[in-house]
Amino acid sequence: MTAVYVESSRLPTQWGEFDMHGFEDPAADKEHVVLTMGDVSGGAPVLVRIHSECLTGDALFSMRCDCGSQLQAAMQAIAEEGRGAILYLRQEGRGIGLLNKIRAYKLQDEGADTVQANEALGFGADLRDYGVCEPMFAHLGISDVRLMTNNPRKVDAVEAMGVKVSERLALRTGHNAHNEKYLATKAGKLGHLMEQH
């Protein structure tokens, strides 16, 4: 899996102005973007969020997950610091795609947890591949990060590509009555480092 840089543009947001960098992964037929603020090449560790696309949470304001609130919190944190990057990966539903995610939601409506639902549909619990980040980091000159994540797999994946993780910053936001089981499953079955309720 490799991502090829395409083009960059300005992206004004409610948190401030980011630069948006487009990458194409022809082998997987995916398009990804990186949002940066400030000079992220070289120097001090860069505040980074690796965020997998979640249309339902990021754009439709779903309360079934914490994805949208995590994305917003990351953008705000980077804006407050004035320097950072968000790698936005098109890996909907932990890699199973949007329509299969809706199928998984239906199974969850009937009592399955998020891992059981994915497995019932014939998928692994988490099919995301973070290898696509390596050429993005290289293009942007990022070699040392302060990673905003609760997922230890992301820390391991970033370190495996030769990027130093100087610090892992917990990103705990968006908890509500609709996603308590989802968050508990992420902690219990996927190893996410979540605060206990």
Side-chain angles (χ1 to χ4, degrees):
M1 178 183 287
T2 184
V4 179
Y5 171 72
V6 177
E7 190 54 276
S8 299
S9 69
R10 293 170 47 251
L11 184 72
T13 75
Q14 69 186 73
W15 297 281
E17 185 171 299
F18 289 81
D19 291 313
M20 181 167 59
H21 312 273
F23 291 83
E24 185 176 24
D25 178 3
D29 193 27
K30 298 280 188 184
E31 298 169 337
H32 310 280
V33 298
V34 180
L35 303 182
T36 62
M37 183 176 283
D39 181 4
V40 296
S41 62
V46 180
L47 187 60
V48 167
R49 166 79 180 158
I50 297 173
H51 189 89
S52 295
E53 177 182 37
C54 176
L55 178 75
T56 48
D58 299 341
L60 302 178
F61 317 109
S62 170
M63 296 176 72
R64 295 183 77 131
C65 63
D66 54 348
C67 305
S69 59
Q70 286 187 326
L71 177 60
Q72 292 179 33
M75 292 179 76
Q76 182 175 346
I78 288 170
E80 288 172 357
E81 191 153 304
R83 180 173 181 262
I86 295 175
L87 285 69
Y88 193 91
L89 310 181
R90 306 296 298 278
Q91 301 190 120
E92 180 75 50
R94 290 199 210 100
I96 67 172
L98 180 60
L99 297 183
N100 282 322
K101 179 178 176 179
I102 295 171
R103 292 183 178 103
Y105 275 175
K106 173 64 173 171
L107 294 174
Q108 291 172 47
D109 290 343
E110 296 168 354
D113 67 35
T114 181
V115 170
Q116 291 166 340
N118 276 23
E119 291 175 345
L121 293 171
F123 299 107
D126 191 342
L127 300 179
R128 291 175 293 181
D129 183 346
Y130 300 111
V132 71
C133 299
E134 188 170 355
M136 297 177 182
F137 282 135
H139 176 81
L140 296 165
I142 296 174
S143 58
D144 192 340
V145 301
R146 296 163 53 226
L147 194 61
M148 292 183 279
T149 186
N150 303 323
N151 185 351
R153 282 188 65 228
K154 287 184 185 176
V155 176
D156 294 343
V158 170
E159 290 179 335
M161 61 186 75
V163 175
K164 180 180 179 183
V165 179
S166 291
E167 185 179 6
R168 183 192 69 84
L169 302 167
L171 201 55
R172 296 175 180 140
T173 180
H175 296 188
N176 64 73
H178 300 282
N179 66 20
E180 282 183 0
K181 182 177 179 181
Y182 166 82
L183 296 176
T185 301
K186 286 212 297 189
K189 292 190 174 182
L190 298 174
H192 288 216
L193 305 170
M194 312 289 283
E195 63 188 355
Q196 298 301 309
H197 296 282

